[in-house]
Amino acid sequence: MNKTAQFADVMLPATSWGEHDGVYASSDRGFQRIRKVLEPVGDVRDDWEIICLLSSAMGYPMKYSNTEEIWNEILDLCPKFAGATYEKMERQCSVQWPCCDKGSQDVGSMHLHKGGQFATPDGKGIFQTAHCHPPAETENDDYPLTLCAVREVGRYSARTMTGNCRTLRNLEDEPGWVEMSPADCKNLGVKDGDLVKIASKRGNVISRCRNAERVKTGAVYMTCQWRIGACNELTLSCLDPVSRTLEYKYCAARVEKIED
């Protein structure tokens, strides 16, 4: 159970990472095999089995016997992946695409555009400039501070997994913290560890103050993985005009001292 699952009507029990086979695709364009090391306990299914059952129930039959059959279908559909077979991943540990030939001589390519040749009609790369757009919300008299949402070492996303690790929980737990410059701490009359209220036009949350030299005066930083003091409740959902990414990393805010 996590914050996302609380919105669900139905939860489907799936195997964990050590309980199924599959392939990882890494940011270096490498494909790697993953192998089951534990037999799953209880009434659970692999992700691909759940998707097949759902698809079949909705009128589009999907039938596979194992993950290799699924992977081979991907290779048939994606010419640049065609040579990244299970056999080749077994032998090399990792296969980087483009790997177009299933023969043993094609071991993949470290360079996406080998020899400086791009996948364009003239073989040259296309560079485009990006225009600078101001943030959707800027500071004002009511909300004079810049709020930036950040990640913290040792945490990931909303702590769905890392929050289950006792060692990481012992390092730091709820309600998280808001980093502020020494000058802003002095102006508000707060010290390291004090509870403060952070507010924006969307609402307010409570967190702990952390006095930090690295923070610029007029800016505050909050981690986004806590249930208490969840700073994404303060941010706005304006979209970037090009990437359509949510503008979670910048908004106007106010920090208030909690007297009691």
Side-chain angles (χ1 to χ4, degrees):
M1 176 59 67
N2 55 48
K3 291 177 73 173
T4 304
Q6 290 173 0
F7 291 93
D9 296 310
V10 177
M11 290 178 63
L12 302 173
T15 51
S16 67
W17 65 271
E19 297 174 329
H20 55 235
D21 297 315
V23 175
Y24 272 133
S26 303
S27 56
D28 68 345
R29 293 176 288 103
F31 297 127
Q32 300 176 72
R33 285 278 313 279
I34 56 171
R35 299 164 183 82
K36 180 194 293 187
V37 294
L38 294 170
E39 287 299 324
V41 177
D43 185 17
V44 297
R45 300 286 183 95
D46 289 357
D47 290 336
W48 67 268
E49 290 184 281
I50 293 173
I51 292 171
C52 287
L53 289 169
L54 280 172
S55 179
S56 298
M58 296 172 70
Y60 184 81
M62 292 177 66
K63 297 184 182 298
Y64 300 96
S65 301
N66 51 52
T67 56
E68 187 171 9
E69 289 184 6
I70 299 171
W71 184 247
N72 288 338
E73 183 174 312
I74 293 173
L75 299 188
D76 290 339
L77 294 169
C78 304
K80 290 186 178 182
F81 300 170
T85 61
Y86 263 42
E87 181 276 328
K88 205 172 289 185
M89 283 188 280
E90 188 79 37
R91 187 177 70 244
Q92 299 176 197
C93 294
S94 175
V95 179
Q96 288 177 292
W97 67 271
C99 184
C100 305
D101 190 343
K102 291 186 178 181
S104 59
Q105 298 303 313
D106 190 348
V107 295
S109 176
M110 181 183 296
H111 307 288
L112 179 59
H113 306 294
K114 195 171 183 179
Q117 292 296 307
F118 288 76
T120 56
D122 61 1
K124 295 182 179 180
I126 300 171
F127 290 87
Q128 294 180 328
T129 58
H131 297 288
C132 179
H133 296 274
E137 184 175 272
T138 54
E139 303 74 12
N140 52 61
D141 291 339
D142 292 328
Y143 302 99
L145 300 173
T146 302
L147 171 64
C148 301
V150 299
R151 288 184 181 178
E152 176 194 347
V153 174
R155 310 291 184 193
Y156 182 75
S157 193
R159 298 170 68 232
T160 303
M161 293 181 290
T162 56
N164 291 325
C165 176
R166 185 181 296 110
T167 302
L168 292 176
R169 283 205 314 272
N170 289 340
L171 288 175
E172 189 162 33
D173 211 341
E174 308 280 7
W177 44 263
V178 53
E179 279 200 359
M180 302 169 57
S181 71
D184 285 331
C185 287
K186 184 177 180 181
N187 289 337
L188 285 171
V190 296
K191 59 183 184 301
D192 202 66
D194 283 355
L195 287 176
V196 293
K197 183 168 74 172
I198 306 95
S200 74
K201 291 180 180 178
R202 271 69 57 190
N204 60 79
V205 297
I206 293 175
S207 190
R208 289 173 294 187
C209 167
R210 177 175 287 176
N211 191 321
E213 293 280 353
R214 68 175 183 167
V215 182
K216 288 184 177 181
T217 301
V220 295
Y221 295 77
M222 290 187 73
T223 50
C224 52
Q225 59 263 50
W226 307 103
R227 282 178 175 266
I228 304 171
C231 63
N232 278 351
E233 295 180 16
L234 308 176
T235 55
L236 66 165
S237 55
C238 175
L239 297 176
D240 180 89
V242 178
S243 69
R244 314 307 291 169
T245 304
L246 291 165
E247 195 167 315
Y248 278 157
K249 302 297 181 185
Y250 192 109
C251 74
R254 176 178 71 244
V255 177
E256 301 173 6
K257 181 179 179 178
I258 298 177
E259 295 296 345
D260 186 356

